[in-house]
């Protein structure tokens, strides 16, 4: 049971078997990040660092992005908003939730709904939200798949986007380009992110444990057709 929660032994074995000059920690837990930090191994967190971890990182500033999305919805007249979050306990998701909460504009109310990473799970929490005494007029998706499921499930229920309910996504995947109506959300240039990662990894591999540079990526707002005034 302890091995499930403490990955130290498995990480030590992995590092010994794989001769790497630098490591990329993707969607890594506090235990994984902490171990690499304590061992002073050259690692780059592709995501948010957990508290107390002294490793370079690179990720979208989810807190600022979510606050921008919430502000956009508020300025358009939305007051009841639902934020969809995945079951994984990720620091980036927590930061996004905090960003929405931080808006604190008059009359603005946001509710976090955690789904179970399945199509039916997203549909279930949306159905519950729409039965509330004050149902939401907008959805903030923290994952692109949530936006896609929400759009198609709402259509199956005869609920129009954006006439009846708006959707905005904080993260982007190429498949969103094929949805109708065009999704409103935030997109990062993958080529730019790849270049930033390569530069940092090259410096880490060369022995520089503090490669510098801005750790936060500012995404571009894609003004689609899935958001309108309520």
């Amino acid at each position: 049971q302890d091995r499930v929660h403490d990955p130290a032994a498995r990480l030590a074995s992995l590092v010994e078997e794989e001769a790497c000059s630098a490591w990329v920690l993707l969607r890594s837990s506090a235990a994984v990040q902490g171990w690499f930090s304590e061992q002073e191994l050259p690692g780059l967190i592709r995501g948010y660092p957990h508290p107390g971890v002294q490793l370079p990182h690179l990720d979208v500033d989810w807190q600022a992005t979510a606050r921008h999305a919430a502000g956009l919805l508020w300025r358009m007249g939305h007051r009841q908003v639902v934020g969809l979050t995945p079951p994984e306990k990720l620091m980036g998701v927590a930061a996004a939730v905090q960003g929405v909460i931080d808006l604190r504009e008059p009359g603005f109310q946001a509710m976090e709904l955690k789904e179970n990473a399945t199509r039916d799970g997203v549909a279930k929490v949306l159905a519950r939200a729409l039965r509330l005494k004050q149902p939401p007029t907008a959805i903030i998706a923290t994952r692109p798949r949530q936006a896609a499921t929400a759009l198609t499930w709402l259509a199956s229920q005869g609920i129009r986007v954006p006439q009846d309910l708006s959707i905005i996504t904080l993260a982007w995947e190429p498949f969103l380009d094929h949805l109708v109506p065009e999704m409103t959300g935030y997109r990062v240039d993958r080529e730019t992110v790849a270049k930033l990662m390569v530069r940092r990894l090259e410096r880490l591999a060369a022995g520089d444990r503090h490669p510098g540079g801005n750790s936060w990526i500012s995404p571009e707002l894609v003004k689609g057709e899935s958001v309108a005034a309520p």
Side-chain angles (χ1 to χ4, degrees):
Q1 183 72 14
D2 290 340
R3 291 186 62 191
V4 174
H5 300 287
D6 184 2
R10 286 172 290 165
L11 289 172
S13 176
L14 174 64
V15 169
E16 184 178 355
E17 294 172 0
E18 301 290 340
C20 294
S21 301
W23 296 82
V24 177
L25 308 183
L26 179 65
R27 291 189 177 183
S28 48
S29 66
V32 171
Q33 292 182 11
W35 187 85
F36 272 87
S37 181
E38 291 169 3
Q39 301 299 315
E40 297 185 348
L41 291 169
L44 173 66
I45 299 172
R46 179 62 178 92
Y48 264 61
H50 286 266
V53 173
Q54 301 299 317
L55 288 175
H57 69 277
L58 183 67
D59 201 5
V60 169
D61 188 340
W62 294 115
Q63 186 168 342
T65 302
R67 191 181 188 286
H68 187 277
L72 172 66
L73 293 173
W74 185 83
R75 289 190 298 274
M76 297 187 74
H78 295 276
R79 297 297 180 263
Q80 302 291 330
V81 173
V82 159
L84 295 178
T85 59
E88 302 91 352
K89 294 182 179 180
L90 300 174
M91 292 297 294
V93 173
V97 171
Q98 187 61 48
V100 175
I101 294 173
D102 285 345
L103 185 63
R104 304 187 191 282
E105 292 288 358
F108 184 81
Q109 296 185 15
M111 175 188 299
E112 178 188 0
L113 291 181
K114 191 179 295 293
E115 42 90 13
N116 63 4
T118 68
R119 177 191 61 193
D120 291 341
V122 173
K124 183 177 180 179
V125 296
L126 287 178
R128 186 167 72 243
L130 294 176
R131 290 195 297 268
L132 293 173
K133 184 176 181 180
Q134 291 184 308
T137 59
I139 298 167
I140 298 177
T142 59
R143 289 289 180 267
R145 62 170 178 78
Q146 296 169 342
T149 299
L151 181 66
T152 52
W153 180 80
L154 290 169
S156 73
Q157 304 301 304
I159 301 172
R160 302 168 301 166
V161 174
Q163 293 92 336
D164 302 322
L165 195 63
S166 292
I167 303 175
I168 188 168
T169 178
L170 302 183
W172 200 272
E173 289 292 345
F175 68 80
L176 292 179
D177 291 329
H178 303 281
L179 299 182
V180 177
E182 180 184 7
M183 189 61 58
T184 299
Y186 297 83
R187 188 198 318 243
V188 297
D189 183 78
R190 296 192 171 197
E191 185 175 342
T192 299
V193 174
K195 289 179 180 178
L196 291 173
M197 287 190 63
V198 168
R199 289 172 192 161
R200 285 163 169 75
L201 290 171
E202 286 176 341
R203 294 184 62 177
L204 282 169
D208 184 358
R209 299 297 171 84
H210 304 284
N214 187 0
S215 297
W216 303 114
I217 302 167
S218 297
E220 176 188 2
L221 174 63
V222 178
K223 296 180 180 180
E225 300 173 343
S226 63
V227 171

